[in-house]
Amino acid sequence: MSSIPIVRTARKEDCKEIRRLIQELADYENFPQAPKLKVQDLERDGFESSIPMFKCFVAEIPNNEDKLCGFAMYSPSYSSWVGKTIQLEDLYVSPEFRGTGLGKRLFSLVTKEAYEGNYSRVEFTVFAWNKATDFYTHLGAINTTNSEDRHVWRLYRSGIEKLVEDSNLN
């Protein structure tokens, strides 16, 4: 690593590199087959939609404008208890740039947006085995699995389809 990455708002032309980093993250988390998104999906959903489905900050390697080394992808959400929230979907830094403060810079931009937009909280999930739990704890985040006994539940596409079919809603 020769120079400090530039952190900025993502642009449509970053989608190929963002997709590469999503795969890098999935490989790191031992879910290499999990990402189903294509570059075109990211372009459409984040940059071509009248209401973008996500926002993203990226870390770009100086003098190599096509190469990204980190990203933070997030979207607005809403809580019936506290109002506006931000859902941080992914924050990832390539291994050779970890420990440089880059993750904190990316996370700080998301929290700055939450602060300026008067959001009530930033929510995200982290695998229990991931060393990032220490990083987030150090920054003041609270593991609600421990403090509130809340667990993340998901209904995936196959379950959605089955429920709609079983309920005769199609």
Side-chain angles (χ1 to χ4, degrees):
M1 181 178 66
S2 58
S3 53
I4 299 171
I6 298 162
V7 178
R8 60 172 174 77
T9 301
R11 301 183 293 252
K12 182 178 177 180
E13 54 269 20
D14 294 321
C15 287
K16 183 176 180 184
E17 276 293 290
I18 293 168
R19 177 59 179 88
R20 181 187 62 77
L21 288 171
I22 290 169
Q23 187 61 56
E24 202 174 291
L25 171 59
D27 293 345
Y28 172 74
E29 293 181 334
N30 296 314
F31 287 97
Q33 303 303 319
K36 306 297 185 221
L37 285 175
K38 296 178 176 62
V39 171
Q40 297 82 0
D41 298 325
L42 293 168
E43 291 172 343
R44 178 195 64 229
D45 297 341
F47 301 93
E48 296 171 358
S49 176
S50 60
I51 301 174
M53 297 304 297
F54 68 89
K55 294 180 180 182
C56 191
F57 292 111
V58 295
E60 175 181 275
I61 301 170
N63 303 318
N64 190 352
E65 293 180 15
D66 294 333
K67 183 77 169 173
L68 301 180
C69 59
F71 76 105
M73 181 180 287
Y74 62 100
S75 58
S77 189
Y78 201 81
S79 165
S80 61
W81 287 10
V82 298
K84 296 189 317 182
T85 66
I86 286 180
Q87 176 65 42
L88 176 63
E89 180 63 23
D90 288 323
L91 185 138
Y92 179 74
V93 174
S94 294
E96 63 269 26
F97 291 91
R98 292 183 190 151
T100 65
L102 185 55
K104 185 176 181 182
R105 287 170 55 203
L106 288 163
F107 190 71
S108 293
L109 285 172
V110 175
T111 58
K112 181 181 179 196
E113 183 144 329
Y115 176 80
E116 290 176 350
N118 200 31
Y119 287 81
S120 299
R121 65 183 177 214
V122 175
E123 294 185 313
F124 48 94
T125 60
V126 182
F127 286 111
W129 57 262
N130 192 327
K131 294 176 188 174
T133 56
D134 295 334
F135 167 77
Y136 291 117
T137 300
H138 178 74
L139 294 176
I142 297 167
N143 180 347
T144 60
T145 304
N146 296 331
S147 66
E148 299 175 17
D149 198 25
R150 291 179 185 246
H151 299 261
V152 176
W153 291 73
R154 292 182 177 152
L155 183 62
Y156 288 103
R157 183 68 191 183
S158 60
I160 293 168
E161 291 170 355
K162 183 174 182 345
L163 187 59
V164 168
E165 289 169 10
D166 290 351
S167 302
N168 294 319
L169 296 175
N170 54 355

